[in-house]
Amino acid sequence: MKRVINFLRGSVEVEASGPFPERFLNLCAQRGVSFWGVEWLDGNAVRLTVPRQERGGLEELGERTGCTVREVEREGLPAFLARFRRRYALLAGLGCSLLAVLLMTQFVLVVDVSGNQEVSTAAILTTLRRLGLRPGAFGPSIDIDRTEQEALLELKDLSWMAINRHGTRMEVLVRERVKPPKLENDSQHGDVVAEAPGVITRLEVLSGETALKVGDPVAEGDVLISGNVLLEGPLYGDHDVGWQQVRARGRVQARTWRTLEAEIPLKACVKAYTGEEKQRWYLEWMGRRINFYRKSGISFPQYDKINETWRPERWVSPELPLCLGRETVREYTWTEEPVDRDAAEELLRTELEQALREQVEPGSVEHMEYTAVVTEELLKVTLRAECIEEIGRFVPFEGETPATD
């Protein structure tokens, strides 16, 4: 701690020479002058270190004791800064650097969004940018309350937003709106019909009547659960009460068989690069692009453009809105090449399986079988699958319009 204090306030190493240098040390002690690091050079000289602010009175004490006081070296922060008092360009640069740091801390460099799942971060950042909150904006000029309210009016799927400023970083916290559950219109009557043929594996009736049972086959359009309910009369009566129309509800799972087809040509146009390319460098800072090239036009009739960027996130945190980019333009021509049959068949199989699972969701696929045929330079793949899926679909009675819940 003493070393740190001495470095901040500065110290001076002096040498006192004369007939009685010990009297000089005694007089310094009587006057309350702090000193340390006493070193005897010979019988008539002594070297010691004193604080910088007490250096001025040592000549008077030396005259009283008949000693000559000579300054040997200055140390500490004041001595270090004194070296630059005549270097005006360096001082001007230091002042400009401090001013730049003070000004840069007032600008927004990073905008972080958290708390969103359904609403994309890009959509939130685009809305905030349109309202003036973006990298490069002057922080004190942003009306945070107004920005929050206007952003919520534009982003209908958000219910809450809070913007917090942490220096050059803007933290945007959001909460998404909870969608209300879909309500069924009980006043609308109808049947549950089959939207695909199959064999029933599970049958649950919540409202309505059915004459079917597990294991019965059904065709597309058959009534699975009827919305016309017969109200039976008393046990020993001769007549029923009558018919009542309700909204049929239930769950009907069936074993179904689906067939999907897809085809692809065995010859395709592919790109052939000519070897001609151009590279152009640029710098992006706070959303502004600075090009290091003059002509922006491209003379190639057909080309690919590849952008590579390097950001200082590995060395700086948080990430600065600064990046160095390289844009590579490559010329190409179109040429017709044969398609790898195995790769094409694998691609069609993947697409057919994905389409099948989307159709039967949330059901399951029990078995799949593929066949591939080549006809007229086309590869045709057929998928036949056995599935377990929900086949019931509500259909209102004639004369009743479907409800819009």
Side-chain angles (χ1 to χ4, degrees), residues 1 8 86 247 290 319 336 377 379:
M1 183 62 68
L8 294 177
R86 293 186 180 275
R247 181 186 179 94
I290 303 173
E319 180 181 342
E336 192 175 70
E377 297 185 352
L379 174 62

Side-chain angles (χ1 to χ4, degrees), residues 35-74:
F35 61 90
W36 64 92
V38 178
E39 180 183 358
W40 291 94
L41 302 179
D42 52 33
N44 298 325
V46 64
R47 183 174 294 179
L48 66 157
T49 305
V50 297
R52 184 181 60 89
Q53 61 269 23
E54 299 181 6
R55 165 67 179 86
L58 295 182
E59 277 77 5
E60 179 186 355
L61 299 180
E63 292 177 358
R64 294 187 58 180
T65 58
C67 295
T68 302
V69 179
R70 182 176 66 88
E71 184 174 312
V72 178
E73 184 182 5
R74 287 178 175 263

Side-chain angles (χ1 to χ4, degrees), residues 186-237:
D186 291 335
S187 62
Q188 188 179 41
H189 307 146
D191 301 326
V192 174
V193 301
E195 61 179 359
V199 177
I200 297 176
T201 59
R202 183 176 181 180
L203 181 60
E204 296 179 1
V205 180
L206 301 179
S207 64
E209 290 184 344
T210 181
L212 300 173
K213 61 182 181 299
V214 174
D216 289 348
V218 293
E220 181 179 357
D222 287 353
V223 177
L224 302 176
I225 304 175
S226 175
N228 290 315
V229 179
L230 177 62
L231 301 179
E232 298 179 354
L235 181 60
Y236 300 103

Side-chain angles (χ1 to χ4, degrees), residues 363-380:
S364 61
V365 179
E366 300 294 315
H367 177 71
M368 292 186 297
E369 185 179 272
Y370 296 94
T371 57
V373 179
V374 177
T375 58
E376 298 180 359
E377 297 185 352
L378 290 177
L379 174 62
K380 183 177 181 181

Side-chain angles (χ1 to χ4, degrees), residues 65-339:
T65 58
C67 295
T68 302
V69 179
R70 182 176 66 88
E71 184 174 312
V72 178
E73 184 182 5
R74 287 178 175 263
E75 297 178 348
L77 183 61
F80 175 78
L81 296 178
R83 301 175 186 175
F84 305 103
R85 60 185 177 184
R86 293 186 180 275
R87 299 183 181 182
Y88 304 111
L90 185 60
L91 292 176
L94 179 60
C96 292
S97 300
L98 294 176
L99 182 62
V101 170
L102 294 176
L103 290 178
M104 287 298 297
T105 55
Q106 302 300 316
F107 287 87
V108 178
L109 300 183
V110 180
V111 180
D112 291 332
V113 180
S114 60
N116 57 312
Q117 295 181 352
E118 299 295 333
V119 183
S120 64
T121 302
I124 298 175
L125 291 177
T126 300
T127 301
L128 294 176
R129 176 180 290 272
R130 188 165 53 251
L131 297 176
L133 178 55
R134 57 177 178 80
F138 188 59
S141 65
I142 299 176
D143 189 344
I144 294 181
D145 294 336
R146 181 186 63 83
T147 303
E148 293 173 350
Q149 295 174 4
E150 294 187 3
L152 288 176
L153 291 177
E154 293 190 23
L155 300 170
K156 303 298 184 180
D157 293 332
L158 296 182
S159 61
W160 176 80
M161 174 182 290
I163 301 176
N164 302 317
R165 183 185 177 193
H166 305 285
T168 60
R169 184 174 70 94
M170 283 291 187
E171 181 187 29
V172 182
L173 303 175
V174 298
R175 294 293 181 271
E176 295 177 342
R177 190 181 303 276
V178 178
K179 296 181 180 180
K182 185 177 179 180
L183 301 178
E184 294 182 350
N185 187 5
D186 291 335
S187 62
Q188 188 179 41
H189 307 146
D191 301 326
V192 174
V193 301
E195 61 179 359
V199 177
I200 297 176
T201 59
R202 183 176 181 180
L203 181 60
E204 296 179 1
V205 180
L206 301 179
S207 64
E209 290 184 344
T210 181
L212 300 173
K213 61 182 181 299
V214 174
D216 289 348
V218 293
E220 181 179 357
D222 287 353
V223 177
L224 302 176
I225 304 175
S226 175
N228 290 315
V229 179
L230 177 62
L231 301 179
E232 298 179 354
L235 181 60
Y236 300 103
D238 296 333
H239 301 285
D240 295 328
V241 175
W243 293 88
Q244 180 183 8
Q245 289 186 340
V246 299
R247 181 186 179 94
R249 291 191 185 90
R251 183 179 181 184
V252 183
Q253 278 189 348
R255 185 179 302 276
T256 60
W257 292 264
R258 291 183 177 268
T259 301
L260 284 76
E261 295 180 348
E263 59 185 19
I264 189 173
L266 293 178
K267 289 187 177 181
C269 291
V270 297
K271 296 178 181 178
Y273 291 100
T274 63
E276 296 291 333
E277 66 177 36
K278 294 181 180 179
Q279 290 186 350
R280 304 186 296 187
W281 293 84
Y282 60 91
L283 184 69
E284 284 190 2
W285 169 249
M286 292 188 179
R288 295 176 177 84
R289 175 165 169 166
I290 303 173
N291 296 326
F292 297 145
Y293 53 88
R294 294 183 179 179
K295 296 182 180 180
S296 60
I298 301 175
S299 59
F300 301 148
Q302 296 174 331
Y303 58 87
D304 278 341
K305 187 182 294 184
I306 304 171
N307 286 310
E308 300 175 272
T309 57
W310 292 270
R311 298 182 181 273
E313 67 268 13
R314 295 184 180 179
W315 307 279
V316 181
S317 181
E319 180 181 342
L320 295 177
L322 171 69
C323 72
L324 177 65
R326 180 178 65 188
E327 188 177 78
T328 304
V329 181
R330 297 180 180 176
E331 183 185 19
Y332 67 85
T333 58
W334 289 106
T335 181
E336 192 175 70
E337 296 288 342
V339 176

